[in-house]
Amino acid sequence: MPRQVDHVGRRRLIAEAVCRLADERGLEGVTLRDVSARAQVSMGAVQRCFRTKEEMLVFALGHISERIMERVQARLVRSPAQSAGTALGHAATEIALLREEHRAEARVWLAFVAQAAVSEVLARTLKANYATLQEAFTRLIAEAAEAGEGTGRTAPLDPQREARTLLALADGLTTHVLIGHLTSREAHDVLHAHLAGLWERPDRPPHTTPDLPDR
């Protein structure tokens, strides 16, 4: 009997190799030969999984995006009774990749963002990812507003605009922490202050977001 090949598992193995190489040297230094060596599979196996390097990079980007979103979902599932505003804080904190243990993911993510500036295919993939995140943020903000959060504001919440702003802030904080302009704690404080500003009202203390350990 011929040996059955787990193509899904092999593609994920190759994607992990791409991410490790991107973390070390950026995407410009990622070659099919290096990927096959890092994944410990033959060049032929890589080429059977992916017709081109671009196709391989698109899959790797989707792989790391799924990993981040699975972590966000797991965080929300652990606290099913939380308010929409608290859920938004958890999601934004995870997506910003502020923790030390997520620093490698942040480097890889920004490597893909940089490459997307000159790759239309990667740019389309990233735009789709951002659109999904913005939609999720918009829904949570709308749910929080319907539940009465943020009713003390001088102007009503615009969920889509606030979602767009929050996503841009979280993405920017990833860069600022990665290059050392802000510490993880400082970036968390910025994010916390912005989220608190969405919900503050005179008859109650500011809304809180999850704590981030000092690093």
Side-chain angles (χ1 to χ4, degrees):
M1 292 288 292
R3 187 178 62 177
Q4 296 295 315
V5 177
D6 179 5
H7 289 289
V8 173
R10 178 165 289 177
R11 283 164 70 87
R12 289 175 176 166
L13 177 68
I14 292 170
E16 285 290 341
V18 171
C19 291
R20 289 195 299 273
L21 289 167
D23 179 29
E24 296 169 8
R25 61 185 76 166
L27 287 179
E28 290 184 358
V30 174
T31 67
L32 292 178
R33 186 175 302 279
D34 288 339
V35 170
S36 69
R38 184 60 61 93
Q40 297 184 330
V41 298
S42 68
M43 280 281 289
V46 175
Q47 291 169 327
R48 283 191 293 273
C49 288
F50 303 102
R51 292 168 296 178
T52 64
K53 176 180 175 180
E54 193 169 59
E55 184 179 299
M56 181 179 68
L57 294 182
V58 168
F59 182 84
L61 174 57
H63 176 70
I64 193 171
S65 298
E66 287 176 7
R67 193 164 64 195
I68 294 170
M69 291 309 298
E70 285 172 1
R71 193 164 60 239
V72 171
Q73 187 61 32
R75 186 75 178 270
L76 299 182
V77 169
R78 286 200 298 269
S79 304
Q82 64 192 325
S83 70
T86 300
L88 179 69
H90 283 307
T93 300
E94 291 292 346
I95 289 166
L97 301 173
L98 301 182
R99 298 176 185 272
E100 180 66 31
E101 60 265 32
H102 300 153
R103 203 58 47 82
E105 275 185 355
R107 287 191 293 267
V108 174
W109 182 260
L110 291 182
F112 276 108
V113 171
Q115 189 68 20
V118 295
S119 168
E120 185 178 345
V121 174
L122 284 177
R124 284 201 303 269
T125 303
L126 275 174
K127 284 190 287 187
N129 289 341
Y130 283 131
T132 299
L133 289 172
Q134 184 175 310
E135 182 180 349
F137 282 4
T138 300
R139 176 178 52 79
L140 287 171
I141 292 170
E143 288 178 6
E146 289 175 5
E149 301 189 63
T151 55
R153 291 166 54 95
T154 56
L157 280 170
D158 179 336
Q160 189 173 53
R161 183 185 63 194
E162 297 297 347
R164 189 180 298 120
T165 301
L166 178 59
L167 181 57
L169 175 63
D171 214 37
L173 289 174
T174 304
T175 303
H176 284 224
V177 171
L178 193 60
I179 66 173
H181 176 65
L182 295 175
T183 66
S184 295
R185 171 55 60 186
E186 289 168 340
H188 181 265
D189 288 346
V190 171
L191 184 60
H192 174 95
H194 178 79
L195 286 164
L198 291 178
W199 317 120
E200 281 181 346
R201 54 194 237 194
D203 60 335
R204 71 176 185 183
H207 201 86
T208 58
T209 56
D211 289 334
L212 184 74
D214 290 314
R215 292 289 179 183

